[in-house]
């Protein structure tokens, strides 16, 4: 069996995953599923990149040991993959023992090749991207990617002779036009390689959360060499499995890490004497209101909220359809709703539902006796061959566009036969129409399987079919008499909800407008003539405020004294029952019951809530 190896980047589990991470995994999953349908033995790897200073610091911030921290955080990334129906074959974590062994073997080989030497490193380092920069690469003294201040590193280090591989990499790019895609990204790499390539500093001594160098235990390996090696760990380098799957068919990565893959990783592979990847495909960024989603900048959109509201398949569809593969693309909840309502529900869902309910209602759930429309079958074969070619070229956005055009064609065909009229005047025509339409639904069910696996499984069930391979897409082979099962709606339309229900996404900038503090309730009393209001005296850092809160039905005044509550302090004061109220308490509200937000440890009055 022919093999196919596709990998995504492995994510830093320093904070929770965002829609950008989800995007990369969905794209890779579409390709992996398509290849499996084509009959390839696929190895699809993803995972988490768990070593390095950034993770160590995030763990410290969370008050946890690094291992305990990554165990917890990595679980969130794996859970996201499962929620998104990512069909990974391996979820690799760089803190695993198997990875440690492979990395140490790789390091020994680089050393034996004479490519490692000891030196002294002095220069800027960005911990956010875990990257050494030269002074010239900085923009206004800051990291060119994160626009954050860099740190200065001055320490004894081991170096990798990357300079040696510049010409070989340039040569490979030239000889293999497919190696780096898309073209524009390839040109960026070629331009950067016009300058001489420097050797790479590959060890650090000022923290210890990483893999020790086998030749010098004082040093831990630079996190990128550790991380990139995951691609060999996941196929059990250097065993038979590795022989079967290397070179990788596609490394799918985002544009911020193209240098690390195209140049650092290629140099390591060349030093190991291994073939270079067949393709490194560099996708663009998911943006929101013009900014890149990013953990470090605090702009995070939670994919789980979106899958719960709109369904996993709608989100997968939106990401592939909206963001032209290889370029940046904007996310908006409105855009997602429009794609769901106008395309999935109105075009694809509508066609399928009309065909299946007509078959159920007018033909007793059995595909009627009719004639295959050879012209339509040939037209469809041509269209799906185009889809196949696009998918082989990784043009996932265009492939999906083409498939949706087939769904549109289905609607048009159904509409032009007018089977609801023909059933009375020309039943044979109605039967012919439905036989062809059911086959068309099957074509869509196979073509869309890599993109929307859950919905297509449901549809296959309704069609009473097992989707076993891509080949079945080219024939109208559902025969008269085939029974279908009970049709159900595939996509529910979703209308915009009012922002007050909390469903509009906001950025951290919006949130930071609110000044929320912890206040200590020092006095509480009922407001005369009011059943609902309590008057509270709340102590903040340097002041006391009076707050009138509608909590009298839920708390007795004495219960509140001594509580540390969360208060919004930068609202305009309001007058309630003649009393000026200068702030608002935060509370959880459930079925009319109110529970004030308090902190679980004693903090100083005035502490900020962030
Ligand atoms: O870079 N849109 O991890 P990471 C699309 N650990 N893709 C995005 C994105 C966005 N807004 N933000 C991030 C790392 N990504 C390293 C990789 S691989 C050996 C080590 C992509 O968590 C990003 O481009 O910062 C990368 O491909 C992946 O998510 C992980 O990013």
């Amino acid at each position: 069996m022919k093999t196919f190896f596709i990998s995504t980047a492995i994510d830093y589990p320093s904070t929770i995953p965002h829609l950008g991470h989800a995007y990369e995994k969905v794209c890779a999953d579409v390709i992996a599923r398509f290849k499996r349908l084509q009959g390839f033995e696929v190895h699809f790897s993803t995972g988490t990149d768990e070593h390095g200073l950034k993770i160590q610091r995030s763990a410290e911030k969370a008050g946890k040991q690094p291992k305990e921290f990554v165990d917890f955080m990595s679980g969130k990334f794996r859970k996201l993959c499962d929620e998104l129906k990512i069909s990974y074959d391996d979820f690799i974590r760089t803190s695993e023992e198997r990875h440690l062994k492979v990395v140490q073997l790789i390091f020994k080989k680089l050393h034996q090749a004479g490519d490692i030497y000891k030196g002294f490193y002095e220069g800027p380092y960005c911990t956010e991207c875990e990257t050494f920069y030269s002074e010239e690469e900085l923009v206004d003294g800051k990291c060119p990617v994160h626009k954050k201040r860099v740190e200065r590193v001055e320490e004894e280090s081991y170096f990798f002779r990357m300079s040696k591989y510049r010409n070989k990499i340039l040569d490979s790019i030239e000889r293999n036009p497919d190696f780096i895609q898309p073209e524009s990204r390839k040109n960026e790499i070629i331009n950067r390689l016009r300058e001489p390539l420097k050797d790479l500093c590959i060890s650090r001594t000022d923290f210890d959360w990483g893999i020790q160098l086998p030749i010098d235990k004082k040093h831990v390996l630079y996190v990128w060499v550790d991380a990139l090696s995951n691609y060999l760990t996941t196929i059990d380098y250097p065993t038979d499995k590795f022989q079967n799957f290397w070179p990788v068919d596609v490394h799918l990565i985002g544009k911020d890490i193209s240098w690390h893959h195209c140049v650092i990783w290629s140099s390591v592979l060349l030093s190991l004497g291994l073939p270079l990847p067949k393709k490194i495909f560099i996708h663009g960024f998911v943006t929101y209101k013009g900014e890149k989603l990013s953990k470090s900048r605090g702009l995070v959109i939670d994919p789980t909220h979106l899958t719960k509201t709109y369904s996993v398949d709608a989100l997968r569809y939106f990401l592939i359809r909206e963001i032209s593969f290889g370029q940046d693309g904007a996310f908006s909840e409105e855009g997602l709703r429009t794609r769901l309502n106008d395309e999935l529900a109105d075009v694809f869902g509508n066609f399928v539902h009309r065909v299946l309910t007509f078959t159920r209602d007018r033909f007793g759930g059995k595909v009627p006796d009719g004639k295959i429309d050879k012209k339509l079958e040939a037209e469809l074969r041509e269209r799906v061959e185009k889809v196949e070619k696009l998918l082989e070229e990784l043009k996932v956005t265009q492939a999906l566009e083409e498939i949706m055009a087939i769904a549109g064609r289905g609607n048009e065909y159904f509409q032009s036969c007018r089977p609801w009229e023909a059933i009375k005047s020309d039943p044979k025509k109605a039967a012919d129409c439905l036989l062809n339409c059911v086959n068309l639904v099957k074509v869509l069910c196979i073509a869309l399987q890599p993109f929307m696996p859950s919905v297509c499984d449901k549809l296959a069930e309704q069609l009473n079919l097992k989707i076993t391979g891509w080949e079945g897409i080219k024939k109208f082979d559902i025969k008269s008499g085939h029974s279908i099962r009970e049709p159900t709606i595939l996509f529910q339309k979703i209308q915009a909800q009012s922002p007050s229900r909390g469903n509009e996404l906001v950025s951290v900038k919006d949130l930071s407008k609110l000044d929320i503090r912890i206040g200590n309730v020092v006095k509480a009393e009922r407001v005369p003539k009011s059943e609902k209001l309590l008057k509270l005296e709340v102590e903040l850092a340097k002041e006391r405020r009076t707050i009138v809160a509608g909590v009298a039905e839920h708390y007795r005044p004495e219960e509140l004294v001594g509580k540390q509550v969360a208060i919004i302090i930068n609202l305009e004061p309001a007058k309630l029952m003649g009393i000026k109220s200068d702030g608002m308490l935060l509370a959880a509200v459930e079925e009319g019951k109110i529970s004030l937000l308090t902190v679980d440890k004693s903090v100083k009055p005035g502490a900020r809530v962030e």
Side-chain angles (χ1 to χ4, degrees):
M1 202 194 261
K2 283 189 291 178
T3 61
F4 186 86
F5 174 17
I6 181 165
S7 68
T8 69
I10 48 172
D11 305 327
Y12 290 127
S14 47
T15 57
I16 52 166
H18 59 64
L19 195 60
H21 293 120
Y23 173 65
E24 185 173 290
K25 288 168 181 50
V26 168
C27 294
D29 189 54
V30 169
I31 300 163
R33 285 179 184 271
F34 168 65
K35 285 288 163 188
R36 281 194 204 102
L37 271 182
Q38 276 192 319
F40 284 78
E41 184 189 349
V42 171
H43 183 80
F44 171 18
S45 71
T46 187
T48 41
D49 180 2
E50 304 186 354
H51 289 134
L53 190 54
K54 170 153 116 169
I55 299 287
Q56 180 163 319
R57 285 189 182 152
S58 302
E60 277 161 16
K61 245 190 183 166
K64 292 192 172 157
Q65 288 301 315
K67 182 67 172 72
E68 184 195 359
F69 177 72
V70 293
D71 282 351
F72 177 72
M73 292 302 294
S74 174
K76 295 198 177 287
F77 283 79
R78 188 192 284 258
K79 186 162 165 270
L80 173 68
C81 284
D82 295 337
E83 267 169 23
L84 291 168
K85 297 277 180 278
I86 305 299
S87 60
Y88 57 85
D89 297 290
D90 189 12
F91 188 97
I92 178 164
R93 299 182 51 193
T94 53
S95 63
E96 289 173 83
E97 191 63 23
R98 60 171 172 151
H99 182 61
L100 174 97
K101 286 195 182 128
V102 170
V103 170
Q104 291 193 332
L105 175 65
I106 288 174
F107 184 84
K108 273 188 199 146
K109 290 192 176 230
L110 301 181
H111 193 231
Q112 277 159 8
D115 281 347
I116 303 291
Y117 64 92
K118 199 175 190 175
F120 191 83
Y121 183 82
E122 198 179 343
Y125 189 81
C126 171
T127 311
E128 263 325 313
C129 43
E130 299 280 18
T131 298
F132 297 102
Y133 286 102
S134 64
E135 300 291 348
E136 306 83 66
E137 284 171 312
L138 301 183
V139 178
D140 299 331
K142 293 182 179 162
C143 163
V145 178
H146 294 93
K147 320 275 185 272
K148 285 195 171 175
R149 216 172 308 139
V150 288
E151 295 174 36
R152 321 275 342 158
V153 173
E154 284 178 31
E155 59 188 25
E156 177 194 274
S157 299
Y158 284 87
F159 284 79
F160 167 58
R161 282 187 215 285
M162 193 158 80
S163 55
K164 197 168 135 183
Y165 296 104
R166 173 178 169 270
N167 293 346
K168 278 197 180 159
I169 297 174
L170 275 170
D171 206 45
S172 300
I173 298 176
E174 203 169 299
R175 271 190 292 112
N176 178 4
D178 260 8
F179 175 31
I180 302 172
Q181 288 289 315
E183 218 47 30
S184 57
R185 301 277 163 226
K186 169 161 85 182
N187 293 336
E188 279 171 15
I189 298 291
I190 295 176
N191 279 337
R192 277 185 75 178
L193 282 171
R194 287 194 208 288
E195 302 289 318
L197 191 54
K198 289 200 187 117
D199 285 347
L200 180 74
C201 172
I202 59 153
S203 77
R204 301 283 305 263
T205 49
D206 56 353
F207 67 92
D208 60 4
W209 177 237
I211 297 181
Q212 286 176 339
L213 297 198
I215 55 165
D216 189 341
K217 304 261 183 283
K218 262 197 349 252
H219 290 250
V220 295
L221 187 62
Y222 172 44
V223 67
W224 269 100
V225 176
D226 169 348
L228 290 160
S229 303
N230 94 83
Y231 300 128
L232 293 184
T233 307
T234 182
I235 48 167
D236 300 342
Y237 175 72
T239 63
D240 285 354
K241 183 162 183 186
F242 156 78
Q243 298 293 347
N244 279 341
F245 283 102
W246 195 262
V248 62
D249 291 271
V250 183
H251 278 322
L252 180 63
I253 53 160
K255 64 183 186 182
D256 51 339
I257 56 175
S258 59
W259 178 258
H260 306 80
H261 281 78
C262 300
V263 178
I264 300 180
W265 182 225
S266 295
S267 309
V268 169
L269 290 168
L270 288 168
S271 176
L272 293 172
L274 297 179
L276 296 188
K278 288 188 200 155
K279 194 191 293 284
I280 298 177
F281 190 94
I282 300 156
H283 64 75
F285 284 150
V286 183
T287 60
Y288 181 65
K289 295 190 176 166
E291 281 190 61
K292 171 189 182 256
L293 299 181
S294 144
K295 291 174 285 199
S296 62
R297 290 194 228 166
L299 187 57
V300 172
I301 289 177
D302 174 15
T304 303
H305 158 76
L306 300 174
T307 58
K308 287 204 174 119
T309 313
Y310 299 97
S311 83
V312 175
D313 286 306
L315 179 63
R316 289 174 61 113
Y317 176 83
F318 169 83
L319 290 171
I320 301 283
R321 184 71 186 78
E322 183 83 11
I323 304 172
S324 189
F325 198 43
Q327 290 169 27
D328 288 354
F331 169 79
S332 74
E333 220 167 331
E334 197 193 331
L336 171 54
R337 262 194 308 269
T338 307
R339 295 268 182 209
L340 166 62
N341 294 344
D342 299 359
E343 296 174 19
L344 291 178
D346 279 353
V347 179
F348 172 53
N350 180 44
F351 172 58
V352 169
H353 202 64
R354 285 171 98 185
V355 172
L356 298 188
T357 49
F358 200 93
T359 308
R360 177 195 62 192
D361 297 343
R362 302 307 184 104
F363 298 107
K366 279 199 180 356
V367 177
D369 199 3
K371 219 171 70 210
I372 294 289
D373 180 340
K374 290 287 173 198
K375 224 170 113 204
L376 181 72
E377 189 185 21
E379 178 195 324
L380 262 282
R381 191 176 313 122
E382 212 170 284
R383 281 174 177 253
V384 294
E385 276 166 1
K386 185 168 168 201
V387 170
E388 187 175 338
K389 186 161 176 289
L390 288 168
L391 284 173
E392 271 166 359
E393 292 166 357
L394 307 189
K395 294 184 176 150
V396 289
T397 309
Q398 284 156 272
L400 188 52
E401 204 176 335
E402 186 59 34
I403 298 169
M404 289 308 282
I406 297 176
R409 176 76 177 98
N411 267 323
E412 202 183 280
Y413 191 81
F414 188 86
Q415 199 65 22
S416 67
C417 306
R418 308 182 81 73
W420 60 94
E421 283 171 14
I423 194 82
K424 293 172 213 140
S425 56
D426 186 356
K428 172 110 192 37
K429 185 177 165 195
D432 287 348
C433 172
L434 265 294
L435 171 67
N436 287 289
C437 284
V438 171
N439 274 289
L440 229 154
V441 170
K442 183 206 74 173
V443 169
L444 289 168
C445 183
I446 300 175
L448 286 169
Q449 206 277 343
F451 299 88
M452 298 189 286
S454 306
V455 152
C456 290
D457 281 354
K458 200 163 144 190
L459 179 55
E461 171 82 24
Q462 294 177 23
L463 282 170
N464 194 12
L465 286 179
K466 264 209 153 52
I467 308 293
T468 49
W470 183 260
E471 270 313 298
I473 202 171
K474 295 183 187 158
K475 284 170 273 166
F476 274 16
D477 56 2
I478 299 187
K479 301 266 177 333
S480 308
H482 174 87
S483 300
I484 61 158
R485 300 212 176 103
E486 183 57 28
T488 54
I489 302 265
L490 296 181
F491 296 98
Q492 294 290 351
K493 287 193 181 189
I494 303 226
Q495 300 313 326
Q497 286 177 337
S498 90
S500 64
R501 303 238 358 229
N503 286 310
E504 195 192 5
L505 293 165
V506 294
S507 85
V508 171
K509 272 194 205 142
D510 298 323
L511 254 186
S512 62
K513 286 185 195 148
L514 294 179
D515 192 351
I516 308 175
R517 303 293 176 125
I518 297 301
N520 196 6
V521 182
V522 288
K523 204 168 153 202
E525 60 192 42
R526 288 193 168 276
V527 172
K529 295 194 199 129
S530 168
E531 286 183 0
K532 293 197 169 156
L533 299 177
L534 291 186
K535 179 181 162 198
L536 311 177
E537 292 290 315
V538 180
E539 187 182 30
L540 292 160
K542 289 190 187 127
E543 55 172 329
R544 268 195 189 194
R545 290 197 180 201
T546 301
I547 295 176
V548 180
V551 295
E553 289 168 316
H554 309 274
Y555 291 93
R556 281 176 283 121
E558 59 274 22
E559 274 181 298
L560 290 183
V561 176
K563 266 201 194 308
Q564 290 195 297
V565 291
I567 311 160
I568 306 177
I569 63 164
N570 60 339
L571 294 172
E572 276 197 23
K575 241 189 184 167
L576 296 162
M577 302 289 282
I579 309 166
K580 188 175 143 206
S581 175
D582 201 2
M584 193 182 260
L585 300 189
L586 291 175
V589 183
E590 194 183 32
E591 291 172 0
K593 288 201 191 104
I594 282 179
S595 174
L596 287 175
L597 290 194
T598 58
V599 282
D600 62 359
K601 279 192 198 130
S602 169
V603 293
K604 288 208 184 84
R608 183 187 278 279
V609 178
E610 299 196 30

